[in-house]
Amino acid sequence: MMADKKIKDSRELEFAIFCIENVAVKLGVNAERVYQAFTEKSNILNGYIVPEYEVLHTQSREYIVDDLLNVMKERGVEV
């Protein structure tokens, strides 16, 4: 399992927001609930999105959203 990483700059912050908002749209829920799922219910934000930023941010929005939904499913995280 990869080590947790904190957001270090505005690009990573904007990407994290992009991820949260687009997953929320796909699931039809409030972005706040996705943020809580990624931070309080799991470590998807600092343990997956931030460490994988360099790879993930080059992908399409659809790929990123589907990838994050798969990570949530694998880890049993619900919003």
Side-chain angles (χ1 to χ4, degrees):
M1 191 152 145
M2 60 193 65
D4 281 12
K5 287 191 174 176
K6 299 284 187 238
I7 291 170
K8 68 178 183 291
D9 59 33
S10 61
R11 292 177 313 135
E12 289 184 1
L13 177 61
E14 286 174 14
F15 181 69
I17 293 167
F18 168 87
C19 290
I20 291 164
E21 289 181 342
N22 282 282
V23 168
V25 168
K26 177 87 173 191
L27 295 176
V29 299
N30 187 298
E32 177 71 19
R33 287 178 56 190
V34 176
Y35 175 76
Q36 288 172 339
F38 284 1
T39 57
E40 295 168 19
K41 296 181 181 178
S42 72
N43 72 332
I44 291 173
L45 180 62
N46 290 327
Y48 185 76
I49 293 172
V50 177
E52 294 296 320
Y53 168 77
E54 292 300 334
V55 175
L56 280 175
H57 87 280
T58 64
Q59 306 296 324
S60 70
R61 181 180 56 185
E62 291 78 18
Y63 176 92
I64 293 165
V65 170
D66 289 343
D67 186 56
L68 291 170
L69 291 174
N70 286 333
V71 170
M72 290 172 70
K73 188 185 289 182
E74 286 169 10
R75 298 183 183 190
V77 178
E78 297 186 9
V79 292

